[in-house]
Amino acid sequence: MATGIRDKVAIIGMGCTRFGERWDVGAEELMVEAYEECIADAGIAPREIGAAWMGTCFDEISVGKSALPMAITLRLPFIPVTRVENFCATGTEAFRGACYAVAAGAYDFCLALGVEKLKDTGYGGLPSFVGSNSGSLTWQWFPNMTAPGSFAQLASAYAAKYRIPDQDLKRAMAHVSAKSHANGVLNPKAHLRKAVTEEQVMAAPIIAHPLGLFDCCGVSDGAACAIVTTPEIARRMGKKDLVSVKSLQLALSNGEEMGYNDWDGEHFLTTSTASRKAYQEAGITNPREELSMMEVHDCFSITELVTMEDLHISARGQAIRDIMDGFFDRDGRIPCQVDGGLKCFGHPIGASGLRMLYEMYLQLHGRAGERQLDNPRYGLTHNLGGFPSMNICSIAIVGRHGE
Amino acid sequence: MLEITVIMNSAVAEVFAWKCCGGGLPDQNLEIQVRNPGPLPVHLADRFDLEGPGERLAWTAVCPAGGRTIATGDVGALYAAMDEAVWERFTTLVLYDGEGKPYRVPLLHRRSGA
């Protein structure tokens, strides 16, 4: 009988680069920057790493195929290194691989690193990736679609289902973005570090109605990294106040959203499913009461808004009320995007999942500086790769070991 | 009547530069925020004038090109790349709607925007 991952793996080191338009460095330097912080934090020698996972989404741009770019750049000692890719869930996939390897007893120490170097394209958005490598039915299902367009449809469907006036939805989305910008001000590694008002967000040009410029995250260059081991080994190393993994869940669309009529386009079937399993694995019965903080996939403001319902924190149709009540603000009940989120910390696709875990790790160790929260217990991270109609959702929950 | 707020060196410039680098929108540091409390939509032209002591300057490099329609109760903004030294020579900004009606805004020359 499977017992899940809860408390079987401890995170003993993490590192994260400053995200942004890193014209000054390549993917290799980004990997080194994250890795050096991480291995110094872990307090182990490189030769002790038993296996490694590398996450990058657009290997074609600036990184290269296979896991060799990481193995060579970090001079890893001829160990198994696996490259993973699962859209925006890529970083968490690398972390998942490392965690399961440790939990299985295959290795004492494993490394997970996510990296992306996208800004060299000179283009504000993502390169097109919905080719034949997304599956043979992809072209039939969405022959001509953009990310802002598809998430705008999510917003429209949500507003229609719950009869929300356009201005109310835009105001709530503006609050989501203004909150992340306010948090980004406090994060020296964030890409954007200036506050904006809700009025500025609402006044910005429309990208795909009702999503405006500030409702859409951009993409960045960056890398993030974690080293994991067992709690027993961590304790033998003298580590105290261990941060351990409580849950790792992943749910992928199976075509049900696009192929049948039951889904009305206003929420994520994957997130709803993965979060239920994640809470069960972590032993959480009431996430609204038990979670201390979250980093969710705010690729668009509406994604964050809807995700609060799919995470079963806000009731269906009630996320707007929670958002406007400040429930997810830094001084609210469950602070969300404390590090600035995708919108302000930035979004180097393959690194984002590990970047989210980095913030949870810092918060749980009381090392988050100006944005430190008061005594957090459980932190949840959420990635959503793809589109509302076909996506990959990963959820991780971390917390203090044994609690 | 429109409610107009002019923000020089606005934080939005950084977001434009990051997210719209493929769209050729660098240095959009002047934000002209407009709220329309009236009963009808208003279309704003993609131009404005700057007026100062003995001087008038027509500014036509305004984003979004084609202007912007502000619905009743809605807020929208125009943006421009503005040299601070030029900006400080002027005391009034004149915005126009689609029919050429002017809206005059005194400038406070606040150096740092919201």
Side-chain angles (χ1 to χ4, degrees):
Chain A
M1 180 77 178
T3 54
I5 198 79
R6 182 186 162 95
D7 282 340
K8 293 175 181 170
V9 177
I11 309 171
I12 57 166
M14 289 204 78
C16 185
T17 69
R18 180 174 62 79
F19 284 10
E21 293 179 301
R22 299 291 305 269
W23 309 116
D24 54 324
V25 296
E28 295 82 1
E29 287 87 350
L30 290 171
M31 285 190 260
V32 169
E33 191 177 322
Y35 174 70
E36 285 188 340
E37 180 188 348
C38 180
I39 199 156
D41 184 33
I44 65 171
R47 68 176 183 282
E48 295 180 87
I49 297 170
W53 276 257
M54 172 197 179
T56 194
C57 188
F58 292 93
D59 58 276
E60 300 88 348
I61 300 168
S62 304
V63 179
K65 291 207 173 296
S66 85
L68 280 169
M70 183 166 106
I72 292 171
T73 299
L74 303 183
R75 302 291 191 268
L76 296 176
F78 298 107
I79 59 172
V81 187
T82 306
R83 184 252 166 135
V84 295
E85 186 279 311
N86 227 348
F87 286 2
C88 295
T90 295
T92 309
E93 280 294 76
F95 183 72
R96 211 163 65 95
C99 287
Y100 283 145
V102 162
Y107 305 101
D108 287 341
F109 298 100
C110 287
L111 169 72
L113 185 146
V115 62
E116 210 76 49
K117 185 78 175 76
L118 291 171
K119 300 307 293 187
D120 296 349
T121 62
Y123 176 60
L126 288 175
S128 175
F129 57 85
V130 285
S132 58
N133 55 353
S134 293
S136 58
L137 292 175
T138 298
W139 289 110
Q140 295 174 39
W141 281 338
F142 44 87
N144 188 10
M145 181 183 280
T146 65
S150 67
F151 282 86
Q153 287 183 314
L154 172 78
S156 299
Y158 182 87
K161 178 161 183 173
Y162 299 109
R163 300 177 186 279
I164 297 165
D166 193 54
Q167 284 299 305
D168 290 356
L169 183 65
K170 280 189 68 72
R171 173 67 68 179
M173 292 194 300
H175 189 95
V176 166
S177 296
K179 172 262 297 164
S180 293
H181 275 264
N183 292 344
V185 170
L186 303 176
N187 189 343
K189 291 186 175 180
H191 189 152
L192 296 177
R193 299 195 62 204
K194 287 183 181 171
V196 296
T197 65
E198 289 179 17
E199 296 294 309
Q200 285 180 298
V201 175
M202 293 176 75
I206 292 295
I207 304 299
H209 185 85
L211 306 180
L213 182 67
F214 285 84
D215 293 312
C216 313
C217 88
V219 296
S220 322
D221 303 328
C225 186
I227 291 175
V228 294
T229 186
T230 65
E232 294 73 25
I233 293 172
R235 275 201 209 89
R236 285 204 298 271
M237 293 172 66
K239 300 279 186 185
K240 293 189 173 69
D241 301 324
L242 293 183
V243 173
S244 64
V245 179
K246 306 294 182 183
S247 177
L248 290 171
Q249 289 295 330
L250 186 72
L252 276 75
S253 291
N254 63 2
E256 187 176 321
E257 298 99 318
M258 284 183 287
Y260 302 92
N261 293 330
D262 294 343
W263 179 63
D264 48 18
E266 46 66 58
H267 76 292
F268 301 98
L269 295 180
T270 51
T271 303
S272 183
T273 303
S275 60
R276 282 188 200 284
K277 290 181 180 175
Y279 298 140
Q280 186 177 14
E281 186 175 32
I284 290 172
T285 54
N286 185 345
R288 191 176 171 96
E289 294 298 323
E290 294 177 71
L291 289 176
S292 310
M293 55 190 172
M294 297 187 292
E295 292 287 330
V296 306
H297 197 83
D298 57 328
C299 54
F300 299 91
S301 306
I302 189 64
T303 319
E304 180 173 329
L305 188 153
V306 169
T307 295
M308 296 311 163
E309 298 178 12
D310 286 320
L311 291 176
H312 310 291
I313 292 166
S314 298
R316 291 285 174 204
Q318 298 300 313
I320 285 183
R321 194 175 68 182
D322 282 341
I323 286 167
M324 296 311 294
D325 285 349
F327 192 85
F328 305 108
D329 292 355
R330 200 165 63 85
D331 58 355
R333 174 61 192 82
I334 307 182
C336 185
Q337 323 298 68
V338 184
D339 66 1
L342 300 181
K343 284 220 184 58
C344 295
F345 201 131
H347 187 25
I349 313 297
S352 284
L354 281 156
R355 179 276 295 167
M356 294 174 174
L357 287 161
Y358 178 71
E359 178 66 12
M360 301 291 102
Y361 178 79
L362 292 180
Q363 291 283 352
L364 287 163
H365 276 300
R367 287 159 43 186
E370 281 186 272
R371 58 187 191 283
Q372 180 64 47
L373 303 174
D374 185 28
N375 196 29
R377 184 183 177 211
Y378 288 132
L380 178 146
T381 68
H382 159 266
N383 307 117
L384 190 91
F387 300 100
S389 55
M390 185 179 82
N391 60 74
I392 295 150
C393 170
S394 68
I395 290 176
I397 299 174
V398 296
R400 294 201 181 92
H401 183 253
E403 291 185 15
Chain B
M1 196 59 191
L2 301 177
E3 297 168 7
I4 302 172
T5 307
V6 179
I7 305 169
M8 180 61 179
N9 291 332
S10 167
V12 303
E14 189 183 16
V15 176
F16 269 93
W18 178 30
K19 295 181 180 175
C20 306
C21 57
L25 288 172
D27 306 323
Q28 299 294 305
N29 59 329
L30 177 64
E31 179 183 3
I32 305 166
Q33 211 179 86
V34 182
R35 174 171 288 285
N36 175 16
L40 296 171
V42 174
H43 182 77
L44 298 173
D46 56 351
R47 66 186 178 94
F48 58 80
D49 291 342
L50 293 171
E51 295 177 349
E55 192 177 9
R56 186 180 182 94
L57 182 63
W59 204 272
T60 54
V62 175
C63 169
R68 196 157 177 196
T69 301
I70 315 289
T72 299
D74 210 347
V75 60
L78 301 176
Y79 308 88
M82 179 65 64
D83 186 302
E84 206 158 349
V86 174
W87 178 247
E88 290 185 356
R89 300 205 310 258
F90 298 95
T91 54
T92 305
L93 183 146
V94 187
L95 207 59
Y96 297 93
D97 67 16
E99 295 169 351
K101 180 182 174 184
Y103 298 86
R104 305 176 75 83
V105 193
L107 301 179
L108 303 176
H109 288 307
R110 203 174 58 174
R111 282 175 182 271
S112 299

